[in-house]
């Protein structure tokens, strides 16, 4: 189990709001080691002490997903009423989807800001969710990540996939072994590479939420803080998957509507655990908020 040094992160602060001893935005201390189990346990304890932020996560999810969910019915509506206007339904859906990208970024950044405050021992209010600082950096970071993902997929997966689809449409008598080899080889490079960069950039959100930095600087901060942490982050990712599976099952057992509580709770646990790792790697000790 990770040693926490002289500061006990599970000790309640003496006042309602306790800030980190290191000034906001600074990584002044030497990086500290952390353990995924401890991080998630810390996240659970924060959510247990401040359960109101389960509602914060639920509200953020509703705001970030309501519009696309409603717009998804547009193609079906026009298909049932006027088939000549089905294209309009898809245009509406695409427009709403694009509009929702910055909305989701806003809500995601807000949740991380709340989680970061919790991990510092503070008692964040709902206004933290709606603050817009760092939003443009967040959108830019998402765009960079998306473009990198698409370029990687185009180079590594598209050639083999194109050959296989072409032969499938032509009803070829024999499988295209060149296409199969290209697709399998590309996937063997693309999947591990995607996981690697996802792990190295997983602290991007806390960095943007805390610091006034640009897109490339935010990527650099996450890259620096996750140096030598690859397998720890892989274990963290696996534990997070288990967490959400358990949360989903528990929600279903609670008359299905329980997922409205268990999934937001797991989401807030994840964000707090991520901020726990971010603070430790920045040389700072996380603190639990007052109950």
């Amino acid at each position: 189990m990770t040693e926490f040094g002289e500061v006990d992160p599970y000790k309640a602060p003496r006042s309602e709001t306790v800030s980190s001893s290191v000034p906001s935005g600074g990584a002044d201390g030497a990086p500290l080691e952390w353990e995924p189990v401890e991080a998630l346990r810390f996240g659970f304890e924060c959510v247990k002490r401040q359960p109101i932020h389960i509602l914060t996560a639920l509200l953020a999810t509703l705001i970030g997903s309501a519009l696309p969910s409603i717009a998804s019915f547009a193609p079906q509506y026009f298909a049932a009423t006027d088939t000549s206007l089905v294209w309009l339904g898809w245009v509406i859906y695409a427009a709403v989807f694009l509009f929702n990208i910055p909305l989701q970024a806003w809500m995601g950044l807000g949740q991380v800001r709340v989680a970061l405050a919790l991990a510092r021992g503070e008692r964040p209010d709902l206004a933290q969710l709606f603050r817009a600082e760092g939003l443009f950096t967040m959108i830019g970071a998402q765009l960079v990540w998306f473009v990198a993902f698409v370029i990687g997929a185009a180079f590594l997966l598209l050639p083999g996939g194109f050959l296989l689809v072409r032969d499938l449409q032509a009803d070829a008598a024999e499988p295209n072994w060149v296409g199969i080899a290209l697709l399998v080889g590309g996937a063997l490079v693309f999947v591990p590479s995607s996981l690697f960069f996802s792990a190295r950039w997983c602290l991007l959100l806390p960095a943007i939420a805390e610091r006034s930095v640009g897109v490339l600087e935010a990527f650099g901060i996450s890259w620096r803080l996750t140096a030598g942490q690859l397998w720890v982050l892989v274990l963290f990712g696996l534990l997070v998957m288990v967490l959400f599976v358990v949360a989903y099952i528990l929600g279903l057992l609670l008359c299905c509507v329980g997922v409205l509580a268990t999934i937001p709770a797991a989401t807030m646990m994840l964000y707090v655990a991520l901020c726990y790792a971010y603070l430790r790697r920045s040389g700072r000790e996380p603190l639990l908020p007052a109950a």
Side-chain angles (χ1 to χ4, degrees):
M1 182 177 296
T2 302
E3 295 294 329
F4 293 102
E6 297 180 358
V7 180
D8 182 4
Y10 293 93
K11 182 179 180 180
R14 296 181 180 177
S15 60
E16 288 191 351
T17 302
V18 176
S19 300
S20 172
S21 58
V22 177
S24 176
D28 294 350
L32 302 173
E33 296 300 321
W34 66 287
E35 293 182 1
V37 174
E38 286 297 315
L40 289 170
R41 186 160 70 92
F42 182 89
F44 174 77
E45 188 65 27
C46 283
V47 172
K48 187 174 73 172
R49 291 189 176 206
Q50 297 288 324
I52 188 64
H53 293 298
I54 297 176
L55 295 179
T56 301
L58 177 60
L59 177 62
T61 301
L62 292 176
I63 294 175
S65 61
L67 288 179
S69 299
I70 296 172
S72 65
F73 291 101
Q76 302 176 26
Y77 171 78
F78 286 111
T81 57
D82 189 348
T83 54
S84 64
L85 293 177
V86 171
W87 64 271
L88 180 59
W90 286 110
V91 168
I92 293 173
Y93 178 74
V96 171
F97 180 82
L98 291 175
F99 172 79
N100 200 64
I101 291 176
L103 191 61
Q104 283 187 324
W106 182 33
M107 289 295 99
L109 189 60
Q111 289 181 86
V112 173
R113 189 175 287 112
V114 170
L116 188 58
L118 288 172
R120 286 173 172 165
E122 301 169 5
R123 300 189 65 173
D125 54 31
L126 187 61
Q128 294 274 51
L129 179 65
F130 298 102
R131 285 171 50 191
E133 295 94 330
L135 179 57
F136 288 109
T137 301
M138 177 67 179
I139 295 172
Q142 285 187 329
L143 182 61
V144 169
W145 177 245
F146 176 75
V147 170
F149 183 87
V150 170
I151 291 175
F155 275 101
L156 295 172
L157 302 179
L158 192 58
F162 173 77
L163 291 176
L164 292 178
V165 171
R166 185 193 64 182
D167 285 5
L168 183 63
Q169 292 178 339
D171 294 328
E174 296 183 359
N176 189 324
W177 294 109
V178 174
I180 293 174
L182 285 174
L183 185 60
V184 172
L188 290 176
V189 175
F190 179 75
V191 174
S193 298
S194 299
L195 293 176
F196 172 77
F197 286 106
S198 297
R200 294 303 303 270
W201 289 334
C202 70
L203 299 183
L204 187 68
L205 272 172
I208 294 174
E210 183 184 44
R211 311 169 189 234
S212 299
V213 295
V215 174
L216 297 182
E217 188 177 355
F219 276 104
I221 291 170
S222 181
W223 188 270
R224 173 174 55 82
L225 295 181
T226 56
Q229 300 291 300
L230 179 60
W231 295 112
V232 177
L233 292 168
V234 169
L235 176 59
F236 179 71
L238 293 174
L239 290 175
V240 168
M241 291 175 59
V242 173
L243 169 66
F244 275 90
V245 169
V246 171
Y248 186 73
I249 293 174
L250 287 176
L252 292 180
L253 292 176
L254 295 172
C255 301
C256 294
V257 296
V259 295
L260 295 176
T262 57
I263 297 301
T267 300
M268 190 54 67
M269 281 180 58
L270 164 61
Y271 282 136
V272 173
L274 203 60
C275 292
Y276 173 95
Y278 169 78
L279 291 175
R280 294 280 298 178
R281 295 303 296 167
S282 296
R284 285 171 277 175
E285 289 287 0
L287 293 170
L288 283 172

